[in-house]
C-alpha cells in the first residue's frame, strides 16, 4: 500500500519541502509553503509559493512544483510521482493534483493549522456545493451555440482514442 | 445586481473568449477553452488552454487569463473584474477564481456539455467531500513540528494587519 513507506524516505523529502517553505517567505517571493515531487526516489520537481514575485495569486507551492516536475519530465502526467507539501492542499491545488494524476500526496500542516495563522480556505470548500449563481462569487451560465460549436468541432477533428488530458477514477 | 448587464456588453466579451477557444486547439497549444477578464468594460487579460505548449496540466484557460490579467494590472486581486469563460470552471479553476477575488463569472458551456465531449470533472468534485486518505489519490497527513515552526515564524515576523492573499466571505 502506498502509505506504508519507510519513514526516513518520506522524511527526507518533507524536510526539503520545509526548507523551501522557509525560502519562500524569507526571500519575499511568496508565502511559507514548499512542495517537492518525487519519482522513484528522486526529486523531479520542486517549488514554493511565488504569489508575490509572479504577481499571480495562483502560484501556490503545489502549482509551481507541478509546473516544474512536468517541465523536467516532459510529460503532462505525473502518474508515478509522489507529492510532499508542507500544507494540506487548498481546493485549487487539489484540483491540480487530479489533473496532474499524481500517485499519492503527503502533507505536513493541516488546513486547520493554516487557519490558525491566517490561511483559511474552508469557505472555498463550502462554495463548491452551492449552485453557481448562489456562490459568493456568482457564476452565471450563458448558453451560447457558438461556444458549443467549437467544442463539437474539436471533438470531430481532434479526439484521439486515448486522451491524456482527461482523467478517470480508475487511476 | 451583478448579473443584470446589457446583453450586448456580455456578448462581446464572450465572443472573444470563444475566438480564443478556437485558437487554442487549432494552434495545437491546448484544448478548446478560452477566457477573457474585463475591468470597467475593457479587456485586461485573456488566455486559452495551453496545457500542450506549456507541458503543464494546470494551464487551463481561466488560469492563463488570471495570470495575464494580474500581470497587466500589477495586482494579485481582480476584485473589480468579470470573467467570461467558454466552459464552466473545473474545481481547480474555481479555487483560483476565489484566490483572485473576481467579481463575477459568466460561462457558456456547462460541465455537463463538456462531459459529453470527453471533459468530465465531476469525479473531482466528488473527491472533495472524502477524507483525504480515502480519495482516489490518497492524501496522508504527516504531522511535522518543523513545518509548523516555519508557519509560526512567518506569522510572528510577517503578518501585516491586512492580508491581500487571504480571502473572506465578505467580498
Amino acid at each position: 500500500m502506498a502509505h506504508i513507506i519507510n519513514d526516513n524516505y518520506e522524511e527526507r523529502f518533507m524536510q526539503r519541502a520545509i526548507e523551501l517553505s522557509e525560502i519562500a517567505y524569507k526571500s519575499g517571493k511568496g508565502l511559507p509553503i514548499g512542495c517537492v515531487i518525487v519519482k522513484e526516489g528522486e526529486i523531479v520537481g520542486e517549488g514554493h509559493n511565488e504569489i508575490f514575485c509572479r504577481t499571480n495569486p495562483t502560484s501556490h507551492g503545489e502549482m509551481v512544483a507541478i509546473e516544474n516536475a512536468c517541465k523536467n519530465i516532459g510529460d503532462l502526467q505525473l502518474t508515478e510521482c509522489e507529492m510532499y507539501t508542507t500544507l494540506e492542499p487548498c481546493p485549487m491545488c487539489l484540483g491540480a493534483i487530479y489533473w496532474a494524476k499524481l500517485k499519492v500526496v503527503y502533507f505536513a500542516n493541516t488546513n486547520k493549522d493554516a487557519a490558525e495563522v491566517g490561511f483559511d480556505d474552508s469557505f472555498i470548500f463550502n462554495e463548491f456545493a452551492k449552485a453557481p449563481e448562489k456562490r459568493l462569487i456568482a457564476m452565471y451560465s450563458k448558453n451560447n451555440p457558438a461556444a458549443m460549436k467549437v467544442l463539437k468541432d474539436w471533438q470531430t477533428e481532434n479526439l484521439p482514442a486515448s486522451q491524456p488530458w482527461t482523467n478517470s477514477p480508475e487511476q
Side-chain angles (χ1 to χ4, degrees), chain A:
Chain A
M1 287 170 69
H3 65 289
I4 302 175
I5 288 183
N6 181 290
D7 271 351
N8 290 337
Y9 175 96
E10 287 183 14
E11 190 58 41
R12 183 160 58 102
F13 300 121
M14 189 59 85
Q15 188 51 47
R16 176 59 183 154
I18 294 167
E19 283 174 12
L20 289 164
S21 74
E22 194 162 20
I23 291 167
Y25 90 86
K26 291 202 168 171
S27 66
K29 290 182 176 175
L31 297 170
I33 297 108
C35 182
V36 163
I37 294 175
V38 173
K39 185 177 185 177
E40 296 167 0
E42 299 293 332
I43 292 176
V44 293
E46 51 181 43
H48 58 62
N49 187 294
E50 296 194 4
I51 67 168
F52 300 137
C53 66
R54 296 197 192 196
T55 317
N56 185 345
T58 74
S59 297
H60 287 195
E62 298 92 326
M63 305 297 283
V64 174
I66 288 171
E67 176 189 62
N68 184 242
C70 288
K71 186 177 173 185
N72 289 338
I73 292 180
D75 197 327
L76 284 170
Q77 299 185 25
L78 300 173
T79 42
E80 298 304 314
C81 299
E82 304 143 25
M83 174 182 277
Y84 297 81
T85 176
T86 60
L87 180 56
E88 188 170 356
C90 79
M92 175 184 70
C93 295
L94 256 183
I97 285 164
Y98 287 97
W99 293 130
K101 298 192 179 187
L102 281 146
K103 188 170 72 175
V104 62
V105 175
Y106 300 96
F107 58 92
N109 299 310
T110 64
N111 287 341
K112 196 177 164 197
D113 294 328
E116 287 176 13
V117 300
F119 302 137
D120 191 0
D121 56 14
S122 60
F123 82 95
I124 302 183
F125 282 105
N126 295 337
E127 289 289 282
F128 282 50
K130 298 180 186 174
E133 69 277 11
K134 301 281 189 188
R135 291 176 180 146
L136 295 167
I137 298 178
M139 301 176 189
Y140 299 105
S141 173
K142 305 290 287 183
N143 179 49
N144 189 310
M148 178 50 78
K149 184 177 182 303
V150 176
L151 275 193
K152 294 283 186 190
D153 287 350
W154 168 80
Q155 186 182 33
T156 305
E157 295 173 34
N158 287 269
L159 200 66
S162 170
Q163 302 171 49
W165 49 83
T166 60
N167 215 323
S168 81
E170 301 77 39
Q171 300 204 55

